[in-house]
Amino acid sequence: MTPVRVLAVASEVYPIVKTGGLADVAGALPVALKAHGVEMRTLMPGYPDVMRQLSDADEIRRWPDYFGGPGRLLAGSHDGLDLFVLDVPHLYARPGNPYVTQEGIDWPDNGVRFAALSRVAADIGHGLIPAFVPDIVHAHDWQAGLAPAYLHYDNRPRPGTVMTIHNMAYQGKFARELIGAIGLPWGAFNVNGLEYFGGISFLKAGLQFADRITTVSPTYAQEIQTDEGGMGFGGLLRARASVLSGILNGIDVSVWNPQTDPHIAYRFGAEDLTFRAANKAVLQQQFNLDSSDEVPLLGVISRLSWQKGLDLLLDVIPTILGEGMQLALLGSGDRNLQDRYQAAARANPGRIGVVIGYDEILAHLIQAGSDALLVPSRFEPCGLTQLCALRYGAVPIVARVGGLEDTIVDIGEADRSGRDATGFKFGPVTADAFARTLRKANLTFHDKVTWRRLQLSGLSTDVSWRNRAGDYAALYRGLMPARHTA
């Protein structure tokens, strides 16, 4: 097996910094790749949380002026991950979320902040660190999208490049004037470069110049080639279809393991689901719900947004109540949705419980104690919560989109697919279709034999990175033969 060196570039990495699924992937994939002969090191910004957790870091480069202020490049490790950290305090030493102010507004210099990350990624690709010269630079989402562009416009022999799209909705759009400030030639401002409706897009840079493009499920790879799903990039992705592929995400099954999980009240395994009822009782108590094992408890762990279909869930609350179900929701996001969910909880004590925010421990308990997990997304590149649900015996009820389509086998399709059913899917993504499926799930819940079969099928599904990591390793090796010319 030919060894491969890969530099991953990501704006967040679990368990150090996390706002979404990108962090989970960036944290789990390097570990999974070791079994496939891939040495991956991850470059990330030196946010305060990163600097606090970086152990035994070595300074390997210092700049008196890096994009407007002094900066350093550090090498260190954390929780089994090998990291390069770009420590540029005037860009990254800010409180809270990596991307927005405490008021929820994008940092006005985000273009410079993430151009700096991509520039040092390209320099590492060119050999900035002699002890680690990568064969591949793997950029994740728009925040790393300029790395393939810098490597292209440097006009030098370079490593192969891979761009992974985790969500097309986030495109890194900025004013055209930024081009000069971030060290790209003005010739990059054209339709075959970074130009995007009069401005520039960092995501487009990655899509335009990467040697290979991946996204996080096969169905989403097809959806983003349409005008609607491509969100402005459908034509570009159709033109680059020959280098575009979908590789399903996995989850870290050492973190999401009901047999060893320290965050749940009672541990359990596939051979005995008895303790799920005990976890359900604790979950009901945490959300101030009526205590009953005979009432179906629906769990939600989500960003509260239009994309995630959380407005549709509000529309079907009458169905949930009419069917005698309970709802436990953990999430934050759109302020109007937050207010409406809190109002629904106040109006229906004992039936609906809502916690606004994110709590990793509570998320694990929802997976371990809810009977079903709801993911009604209008579009979903892959989705991770439904994979965790399968691992914990919570039956997924999901929309027929993206990775939800690829990872869940509907109860009505098991025979045709040749796989055992693991949940319920609904489409089109409307309140009426959602409500019909909830009623169907409620009927099935009271058929204990069928419901247990769904749970056991989910528990036996491989949701790990084992096979998915092999797909990435094969992709890297396909770009290996020689360093690319411009």
Side-chain angles (χ1 to χ4, degrees), residues 383-464:
L384 297 177
T385 56
Q386 85 279 8
L387 300 180
C388 299
L390 293 172
R391 183 90 166 131
Y392 280 68
V395 176
I397 302 174
V398 305
R400 288 185 172 278
V401 295
L404 304 175
E405 176 72 76
D406 294 331
T407 55
I408 304 303
V409 181
D410 183 78
I411 192 169
E413 299 174 345
D415 292 340
R416 280 176 285 166
S417 70
R419 296 183 292 165
D420 292 331
T422 56
F424 301 84
K425 294 191 284 196
F426 69 92
V429 187
T430 64
D432 285 345
F434 193 9
R436 284 194 300 272
T437 302
L438 287 172
R439 288 191 287 267
K440 182 178 180 181
N442 190 34
L443 280 172
T444 309
F445 173 79
H446 293 288
D447 177 351
K448 298 303 183 185
V449 172
T450 302
W451 193 264
R452 181 55 56 92
R453 191 180 305 130
L454 288 171
Q455 291 178 301
L456 293 175
S457 295
L459 285 158
S460 67
T461 301
D462 182 6
V463 294
S464 74

Side-chain angles (χ1 to χ4, degrees), residues 117-455:
L117 184 71
S118 290
R119 179 64 266 179
V120 79
D123 291 338
I124 294 171
H126 287 315
L128 178 69
I129 305 170
F132 184 83
V133 180
D135 303 296
I136 308 293
V137 171
H138 185 165
H140 291 276
D141 264 354
W142 75 261
Q143 294 91 345
L146 285 189
Y150 279 124
L151 287 164
H152 171 82
Y153 286 110
D154 286 344
N155 200 30
R156 296 164 55 188
R158 60 171 179 81
T161 51
V162 177
M163 179 75 198
T164 293
I165 309 160
H166 295 267
N167 192 330
M168 287 293 301
Y170 301 101
Q171 301 179 346
K173 294 182 286 189
F174 302 98
R176 61 180 290 181
E177 289 76 20
L178 186 65
I179 286 183
I182 60 178
L184 283 168
W186 277 103
F189 185 74
N190 65 72
V191 70
N192 295 316
L194 276 65
E195 190 274 331
Y196 187 63
F197 293 100
I200 61 172
S201 164
F202 285 22
L203 178 62
K204 184 184 179 185
L207 301 181
Q208 187 77 52
F209 294 113
D211 297 311
R212 297 289 185 274
I213 302 167
T214 73
T215 191
V216 290
S217 71
T219 293
Y220 193 59
Q222 296 302 311
E223 291 172 347
I224 61 177
Q225 293 180 59
T226 67
D227 291 337
E228 180 182 8
M231 299 184 175
F233 295 116
L236 172 58
L237 290 168
R238 288 193 294 272
R240 302 216 67 202
S242 63
V243 299
L244 169 62
S245 60
I247 300 174
L248 272 176
N249 281 340
I251 59 172
D252 187 334
V253 294
S254 66
V255 172
W256 294 97
N257 183 353
Q259 294 179 296
T260 60
D261 193 334
H263 301 316
I264 63 178
Y266 299 93
R267 298 172 189 173
F268 61 92
E271 69 284 349
D272 184 4
L273 298 182
T274 304
F275 282 116
R276 287 203 91 255
N279 283 298
K280 180 176 179 178
V282 175
L283 181 60
Q284 287 170 325
Q285 184 178 33
Q286 292 264 17
F287 279 83
N288 297 314
L289 301 172
D290 296 337
S291 180
S292 172
D293 191 40
E294 295 305 310
V295 173
L297 174 51
L298 309 176
V300 177
I301 308 163
S302 180
R303 188 170 72 252
L304 304 185
S305 68
W306 180 88
Q307 178 211 329
K308 297 293 185 179
L310 270 293
D311 56 321
L312 294 179
L313 179 55
L314 282 164
D315 291 341
V316 301
I317 281 178
T319 299
I320 291 171
L321 297 173
E323 292 287 313
M325 297 171 155
Q326 295 176 333
L327 177 67
L329 179 142
L330 170 65
S332 63
D334 181 273
R335 185 60 58 86
N336 177 256
L337 290 176
Q338 290 183 176
D339 292 344
R340 291 174 67 190
Y341 275 108
Q342 288 175 315
R346 288 192 299 270
N348 299 279
R351 305 291 303 282
I352 296 176
V354 171
V355 173
I356 298 299
Y358 185 73
D359 182 320
E360 187 77 14
I361 294 173
L362 196 53
H364 282 245
L365 183 60
I366 290 172
Q367 297 286 10
S370 60
D371 296 301
L373 190 93
L374 307 181
V375 192
S377 303
R378 285 185 169 88
F379 65 93
E380 192 61 68
C382 179
L384 297 177
T385 56
Q386 85 279 8
L387 300 180
C388 299
L390 293 172
R391 183 90 166 131
Y392 280 68
V395 176
I397 302 174
V398 305
R400 288 185 172 278
V401 295
L404 304 175
E405 176 72 76
D406 294 331
T407 55
I408 304 303
V409 181
D410 183 78
I411 192 169
E413 299 174 345
D415 292 340
R416 280 176 285 166
S417 70
R419 296 183 292 165
D420 292 331
T422 56
F424 301 84
K425 294 191 284 196
F426 69 92
V429 187
T430 64
D432 285 345
F434 193 9
R436 284 194 300 272
T437 302
L438 287 172
R439 288 191 287 267
K440 182 178 180 181
N442 190 34
L443 280 172
T444 309
F445 173 79
H446 293 288
D447 177 351
K448 298 303 183 185
V449 172
T450 302
W451 193 264
R452 181 55 56 92
R453 191 180 305 130
L454 288 171
Q455 291 178 301

Side-chain angles (χ1 to χ4, degrees), residues 4-17 22-34 38-47 50 54 60 73-87 117 120-121 124 129 132 134 136-140 144 166 476:
V4 185
R5 283 184 165 180
V6 179
L7 176 71
V9 191
S11 58
E12 54 186 86
V13 179
Y14 179 84
I16 309 169
V17 176
L22 163 61
D24 292 301
V25 174
L29 185 56
V31 177
L33 282 166
K34 290 178 182 178
V38 176
E39 178 189 357
M40 176 175 279
R41 299 193 182 187
T42 304
L43 170 68
M44 67 182 304
Y47 311 119
V50 177
L54 195 64
I60 51 179
L73 184 63
L74 307 176
S77 61
H78 179 81
D79 204 25
L81 296 170
D82 295 316
L83 301 172
F84 294 125
V85 173
L86 182 60
D87 177 28
L117 184 71
V120 79
I124 294 171
I129 305 170
F132 184 83
I136 308 293
V137 171
H138 185 165
H140 291 276
H166 295 267
Y476 300 149

